[in-house]
Amino acid sequence: MIQIKRLATSDNDFDTQLTELTAWEGVSDAEVNQRVHDIVHDVRSKGDQALIEYSNRFDRLTLSDSSELEIPKAELQAALDGLPANEREALETAAQRVRSYHEKQLQTSWDYKEADGTVLGQKITPMDKVGLYVPGGKASYPSSVLMNALPAKVAGVEELIMVVPTPDNEINPLVLAAAAVTGVDRVFRIGGAQAVAALAYGTESVPRVDKIVGPGNIYVATAKRMVFGTVGIDMIAGPSEILVVCDGETNPDWIAMDLFSQAEHDEDAQSILIATSQEYLDQVQASIEALLPTMERQEIIRTSLVERGAFVLVDDLDQACEVVNKIAPEHLELSVEDPEALLPKIRHAGAIFMGRYTAEALGDYCAGPNHVLPTSGTARFSSPLGVYDFQKKSSIIHFSADGASEMGKVASVLARGESLTAHARSAEYRIKD
Ligand SMILES: NC(=O)c1ccc[n+]([C@@H]2O[C@H](COP(=O)([O-])OP(=O)(O)OC[C@H]3O[C@@H](n4cnc5c(N)ncnc54)[C@H](O)[C@@H]3O)[C@@H](O)[C@H]2O)c1
Ligand SMILES: N[C@H](CO)Cc1c[nH]c[nH+]1
Ligand SMILES: [Zn+2]
């Protein structure tokens, strides 16, 4: 029997149980923080040498020279050329759909003119150089290459630097092929906190970037948080999560597999099912028992479900939405007859999958929207990775002589109210007699 926690909103201590369930201890774990701090410090002070040492230790490589850190560009195209036709076609189809979706997000500069001729606006500029973290410890993620690189390309970023760990010196050719398809400029075989530090501070081989994006495990997420300020980051995109709300009418095997789909990423991944009847939860439990032995990654799935998974019994679908908003999941599946009716009640979720046919897995690969999403409740204030993450804005202010005179009077009063005389006099010079 796989012991999945059972909670009910009718439990007296439901809120406490929910808080304990969704707390991702690792993020604030002092030991992880110290380890990541040491790694970041070493990369900053020893550069490539630290990258070589950590990659040899954590990814079991045998690097001895800086020149081995980068994967030559010719290997990216060779990987693409060597793909079986069905893989190449799937990769290109997914890339085309992700690109089209993201093109809709492109923001452009804007301005408007006031009656006295003053022009105000915003100039939108792509970033110069960004770092794309592509995870690769427990699974390899060609799809994450697409999701990281394509919005950056659509935004017009000049240089894309990708990092990806290659444990035991193995790399999925699809990862390199995806880098070729999307036009990534340089790829380094490094991962974890050391890769994040290299992108943030630069080393002899790895260029320093302006922003680091992409998902990763606890070491990656902690390092991104640590270097924020020196570089920009997109969000904390940690271990995957799925929250399924079901009205009890979807085939329980489908729901069991949807829960497995995120649990198989990582022991730290979180899969939760909310339903309106105990009988339905029992049916999904039975499906899990029957299907788990058929799964290649059953040990990871089992640990994830037992340690971090849960079944939550609610009175009705309205109450389900309240629980969703408290959890603010990365992925939400509304596996119900009328998902449109629930949508207005959902305020916090990274991506919302509507109806019984919309498996979250489609969103991971080829629906079009980005799969790099905020995790561990950060959907309360973060959004999916998008073109907007690679664009920045400058305010444009161009006063006419008349406008400067009128606003000079306003600025003068406010500046004198702050006792900032130079500000006041600077504005006053432009006031017409
Ligand atoms: N939120 C998203 O959008 C999204 C998308 C894809 C994947 N994911 C998540 O990304 C994560 C990927 O994790 P992963 O482990 O497979 O790959 P990863 O690339 O994130 O991490 C691998 C690296 O972790 C470092 N590491 C491993 N053990 C360490 C230790 N003991 N001390 C210091 N560093 C250590 C190593 O440097 C290694 O190269 C999963 O949790 C998955 O769920 C999230
Ligand atoms: N579910 C992950 C985001 O949390 C993305 C992914 C890539 N490959 C499979 N899944
Ligand atoms: Zn996934």
Side-chain angles (χ1 to χ4, degrees):
M1 172 90 174
I2 298 143
Q3 297 288 349
I4 300 174
K5 288 180 200 69
R6 293 234 182 174
L7 282 61
T9 47
S10 56
D11 295 341
N12 286 336
D13 58 347
F14 175 73
D15 280 343
T16 313
Q17 288 186 63
L18 192 67
T19 306
E20 279 171 15
L21 175 73
T22 50
W24 184 37
E25 290 304 324
V27 178
S28 53
D29 183 283
E31 202 186 309
V32 171
N33 263 304
Q34 186 57 49
R35 182 176 298 194
V36 169
H37 178 273
D38 293 346
I39 294 173
V40 170
H41 178 268
D42 275 357
V43 172
R44 213 177 159 178
S45 55
K46 295 199 273 168
D48 280 355
Q49 193 48 42
L51 290 181
I52 291 172
E53 282 167 22
Y54 282 120
S55 302
N56 288 349
R57 187 190 322 168
F58 294 132
D59 298 332
R60 301 164 298 284
L61 304 187
T62 51
L63 306 176
S64 56
D65 190 81
S66 293
S67 60
E68 298 167 272
L69 290 168
E70 184 164 2
I71 300 177
K73 211 163 176 190
E75 284 188 30
L76 314 184
Q77 189 58 43
L80 180 61
D81 294 340
L83 284 186
N86 66 333
E87 289 189 6
R88 183 166 183 155
E89 201 180 305
L91 190 65
E92 284 174 347
T93 301
Q96 182 265 321
R97 290 182 62 88
V98 172
R99 191 180 297 109
S100 301
Y101 178 87
H102 286 82
E103 276 165 359
K104 306 230 173 353
Q105 296 176 345
L106 189 66
Q107 299 172 327
T108 49
S109 303
W110 54 269
D111 61 38
Y112 64 91
K113 193 177 261 188
E114 297 185 317
D116 60 18
T118 296
V119 176
L120 301 173
Q122 212 166 46
K123 175 175 152 53
I124 311 241
T125 316
M127 287 174 192
D128 292 341
K129 196 179 290 186
V130 298
L132 314 176
Y133 189 91
V134 174
K138 295 183 180 138
S140 75
Y141 292 99
S143 52
S144 296
V145 179
L146 305 184
M147 300 292 175
N148 275 317
L150 289 170
K153 276 283 175 191
V154 170
V157 174
E158 262 171 42
E159 203 175 347
L160 274 55
I161 313 294
M162 175 176 135
V163 294
V164 57
T166 58
D168 300 307
N169 210 18
E170 279 178 21
I171 179 129
N172 181 341
L174 269 168
V175 167
L176 300 184
V181 162
T182 54
V184 168
D185 296 287
R186 300 179 70 183
V187 180
F188 292 89
R189 61 175 92 248
I190 51 175
Q194 59 275 19
V196 173
L199 291 169
Y201 297 105
T203 69
E204 300 89 320
S205 301
V206 182
R208 177 190 169 149
V209 300
D210 301 309
K211 184 164 183 174
I212 302 172
V213 303
N217 65 11
I218 187 170
Y219 300 100
V220 174
T222 306
K224 276 173 71 180
R225 181 176 291 191
M226 222 169 261
V227 300
F228 174 62
T230 299
V231 280
I233 63 166
D234 49 349
M235 67 186 97
I236 302 299
S240 304
E241 303 162 358
I242 185 169
L243 175 55
V244 182
V245 172
C246 187
D247 57 9
E249 299 297 326
T250 309
N251 183 331
D253 284 356
W254 292 15
I255 299 298
M257 200 55 73
D258 294 354
L259 297 172
F260 289 179
S261 76
Q262 296 312 291
E264 76 174 345
H265 277 289
D266 192 339
E267 292 86 349
D268 282 343
Q270 183 158 61
S271 300
I272 299 177
L273 169 61
I274 301 180
T276 46
S277 88
Q278 200 70 260
E279 295 67 40
Y280 185 72
L281 293 175
D282 292 341
Q283 286 172 29
V284 176
Q285 175 84 36
S287 292
I288 287 176
E289 305 286 349
L291 292 169
L292 188 59
T294 69
M295 303 306 297
E296 263 178 83
R297 297 165 74 91
Q298 56 180 283
E299 286 319 316
I300 296 180
I301 296 173
R302 180 190 300 274
T303 307
S304 162
L305 291 180
V306 171
E307 298 295 327
R308 302 216 60 220
F311 285 172
V312 181
L313 179 66
V314 291
D315 293 343
D316 53 35
L317 291 176
D318 279 351
Q319 206 176 53
C321 294
E322 286 169 26
V323 178
V324 168
N325 288 326
K326 282 184 187 157
I327 296 177
E330 179 192 18
H331 304 108
L332 170 65
E333 266 187 26
L334 295 177
S335 196
V336 298
E337 192 56 33
D338 185 7
E340 295 289 345
L342 297 190
L343 193 56
K345 296 171 192 153
I346 303 297
R347 295 198 315 284
H348 309 304
I352 305 172
F353 297 79
M354 307 279 289
R356 302 188 207 292
Y357 286 96
T358 314
E360 187 277 340
L362 297 181
D364 281 349
Y365 297 105
C366 54
N370 210 288
H371 81 200
V372 181
L373 297 164
T375 58
S376 53
T378 58
R380 285 176 296 117
F381 52 82
S382 292
S383 309
L385 185 67
V387 175
Y388 36 78
D389 278 295
F390 301 98
Q391 296 184 300
K392 60 196 186 54
K393 294 142 194 153
S394 305
S395 303
I396 300 294
I397 307 152
H398 187 172
F399 270 106
S400 64
D402 286 349
S405 180
E406 278 312 296
M407 282 307 109
K409 294 172 197 162
V410 175
S412 162
V413 172
L414 294 175
R416 290 192 183 277
E418 291 181 353
S419 299
L420 294 177
T421 314
H423 288 66
R425 291 186 57 184
S426 165
E428 287 160 5
Y429 274 139
R430 275 97 174 169
I431 298 176
K432 290 182 178 170
D433 296 330

